[in-house]
Short mmCIF file of all heavy atoms in Angstrom, two decimals:
data_model
loop_
_atom_site.label_atom_id
_atom_site.label_comp_id
_atom_site.label_asym_id
_atom_site.label_seq_id
_atom_site.Cartn_x
_atom_site.Cartn_y
_atom_site.Cartn_z
N PHE A 198 -45.66 -55.95 -32.21
CA PHE A 198 -45.88 -56.56 -33.57
C PHE A 198 -44.91 -57.28 -34.18
O PHE A 198 -43.62 -56.99 -33.93
CB PHE A 198 -46.45 -55.48 -34.50
CG PHE A 198 -47.77 -54.83 -34.12
CD1 PHE A 198 -47.87 -53.66 -33.40
CD2 PHE A 198 -48.95 -55.43 -34.56
CE1 PHE A 198 -49.14 -53.11 -33.01
CE2 PHE A 198 -50.19 -54.83 -34.16
CZ PHE A 198 -50.19 -53.81 -33.37
N ILE A 199 -45.00 -58.32 -34.86
CA ILE A 199 -44.05 -59.16 -35.46
C ILE A 199 -44.52 -59.51 -36.89
O ILE A 199 -45.74 -59.43 -37.28
CB ILE A 199 -43.84 -60.45 -34.76
CG1 ILE A 199 -45.10 -61.32 -34.69
CG2 ILE A 199 -43.18 -60.20 -33.30
CD1 ILE A 199 -44.75 -62.72 -34.31
N THR A 200 -43.62 -59.92 -37.75
CA THR A 200 -43.86 -60.62 -39.01
C THR A 200 -43.68 -62.09 -38.69
O THR A 200 -42.56 -62.51 -38.22
CB THR A 200 -43.02 -60.17 -40.21
OG1 THR A 200 -43.31 -58.82 -40.55
CG2 THR A 200 -43.19 -61.05 -41.42
N LEU A 201 -44.69 -62.84 -38.96
CA LEU A 201 -44.59 -64.35 -38.75
C LEU A 201 -44.01 -64.99 -40.08
O LEU A 201 -44.79 -64.74 -41.16
CB LEU A 201 -45.96 -64.90 -38.46
CG LEU A 201 -45.97 -66.33 -37.87
CD1 LEU A 201 -45.23 -66.28 -36.53
CD2 LEU A 201 -47.49 -66.75 -37.61
N ARG A 202 -42.93 -65.63 -40.07
CA ARG A 202 -42.30 -66.21 -41.22
C ARG A 202 -42.43 -67.70 -41.11
O ARG A 202 -41.93 -68.32 -40.13
CB ARG A 202 -40.90 -65.83 -41.47
CG ARG A 202 -40.09 -66.58 -42.49
CD ARG A 202 -38.89 -65.94 -42.91
NE ARG A 202 -39.10 -64.71 -43.58
CZ ARG A 202 -38.17 -63.91 -44.03
NH1 ARG A 202 -36.87 -64.25 -43.84
NH2 ARG A 202 -38.35 -62.79 -44.77
N LEU A 203 -43.06 -68.37 -42.10
CA LEU A 203 -43.15 -69.89 -42.23
C LEU A 203 -42.25 -70.26 -43.48
O LEU A 203 -42.42 -69.84 -44.57
CB LEU A 203 -44.57 -70.23 -42.51
CG LEU A 203 -44.79 -71.63 -42.67
CD1 LEU A 203 -44.48 -72.47 -41.48
CD2 LEU A 203 -46.30 -71.98 -43.17
N GLU A 204 -41.36 -71.21 -43.10
CA GLU A 204 -40.38 -71.70 -44.12
C GLU A 204 -40.68 -73.13 -44.35
O GLU A 204 -40.60 -73.94 -43.35
CB GLU A 204 -39.00 -71.39 -43.77
CG GLU A 204 -38.56 -69.91 -43.68
CD GLU A 204 -37.03 -69.75 -43.33
OE1 GLU A 204 -36.36 -70.76 -43.32
OE2 GLU A 204 -36.74 -68.58 -43.12
N ILE A 205 -40.90 -73.67 -45.59
CA ILE A 205 -41.15 -75.01 -45.83
C ILE A 205 -40.17 -75.38 -46.93
O ILE A 205 -39.93 -74.74 -47.92
CB ILE A 205 -42.58 -75.17 -46.45
CG1 ILE A 205 -43.64 -74.57 -45.41
CG2 ILE A 205 -42.89 -76.61 -46.66
CD1 ILE A 205 -44.95 -74.35 -46.00
N GLU A 206 -39.51 -76.58 -46.58
CA GLU A 206 -38.51 -77.03 -47.59
C GLU A 206 -38.62 -78.54 -47.80
O GLU A 206 -38.88 -79.32 -46.83
CB GLU A 206 -37.07 -76.70 -47.07
CG GLU A 206 -35.95 -76.83 -48.00
CD GLU A 206 -34.68 -76.16 -47.54
OE1 GLU A 206 -34.75 -75.60 -46.46
OE2 GLU A 206 -33.67 -76.35 -48.19
N ASP A 207 -38.52 -78.97 -49.05
CA ASP A 207 -38.56 -80.50 -49.28
C ASP A 207 -37.32 -80.86 -50.08
O ASP A 207 -36.54 -80.05 -50.53
CB ASP A 207 -39.86 -80.86 -49.91
CG ASP A 207 -39.98 -80.39 -51.33
OD1 ASP A 207 -38.92 -80.18 -52.02
OD2 ASP A 207 -41.09 -80.28 -51.91
N THR A 208 -37.22 -82.15 -50.28
CA THR A 208 -36.17 -82.70 -51.14
C THR A 208 -36.74 -83.56 -52.28
O THR A 208 -36.23 -84.64 -52.64
CB THR A 208 -35.18 -83.70 -50.23
OG1 THR A 208 -36.03 -84.68 -49.59
CG2 THR A 208 -34.52 -82.87 -49.16
N GLY A 209 -37.77 -82.96 -52.84
CA GLY A 209 -38.46 -83.71 -53.93
C GLY A 209 -37.82 -83.47 -55.28
O GLY A 209 -36.57 -83.18 -55.42
N ILE A 210 -38.58 -83.62 -56.28
CA ILE A 210 -38.03 -83.56 -57.74
C ILE A 210 -37.75 -82.19 -58.12
O ILE A 210 -37.06 -81.96 -59.15
CB ILE A 210 -39.17 -84.08 -58.70
CG1 ILE A 210 -40.43 -83.24 -58.67
CG2 ILE A 210 -39.52 -85.54 -58.34
CD1 ILE A 210 -41.37 -83.58 -59.79
N GLY A 211 -38.24 -81.12 -57.37
CA GLY A 211 -37.94 -79.75 -57.87
C GLY A 211 -38.72 -79.21 -58.91
O GLY A 211 -39.52 -79.97 -59.52
N ILE A 212 -38.54 -77.89 -59.21
CA ILE A 212 -39.31 -77.29 -60.25
C ILE A 212 -38.32 -76.59 -61.28
O ILE A 212 -37.50 -75.78 -60.77
CB ILE A 212 -40.29 -76.27 -59.71
CG1 ILE A 212 -41.24 -76.90 -58.77
CG2 ILE A 212 -41.10 -75.55 -60.83
CD1 ILE A 212 -42.13 -75.85 -57.92
N PRO A 213 -38.43 -76.92 -62.57
CA PRO A 213 -37.57 -76.10 -63.52
C PRO A 213 -37.75 -74.59 -63.45
O PRO A 213 -38.85 -74.12 -63.08
CB PRO A 213 -38.02 -76.72 -64.81
CG PRO A 213 -38.67 -78.03 -64.54
CD PRO A 213 -39.32 -77.73 -63.24
N SER A 214 -36.67 -73.90 -63.64
CA SER A 214 -36.72 -72.45 -63.57
C SER A 214 -37.80 -71.86 -64.48
O SER A 214 -38.39 -70.76 -64.11
CB SER A 214 -35.37 -71.84 -63.82
OG SER A 214 -34.96 -72.13 -65.11
N ASP A 215 -38.02 -72.43 -65.61
CA ASP A 215 -38.95 -71.79 -66.58
C ASP A 215 -40.44 -72.18 -66.23
O ASP A 215 -41.38 -71.61 -66.80
CB ASP A 215 -38.71 -72.32 -67.92
CG ASP A 215 -38.81 -73.74 -68.12
OD1 ASP A 215 -38.74 -74.50 -67.09
OD2 ASP A 215 -39.06 -74.26 -69.25
#
Side-chain angles (χ1 to χ4, degrees):
F198 291 93
I199 62 166
T200 289
L201 196 62
R202 170 167 290 180
L203 177 63
E204 297 182 7
I205 306 164
E206 194 167 357
D207 69 21
T208 55
I210 61 172
I212 302 171
S214 58
D215 62 337

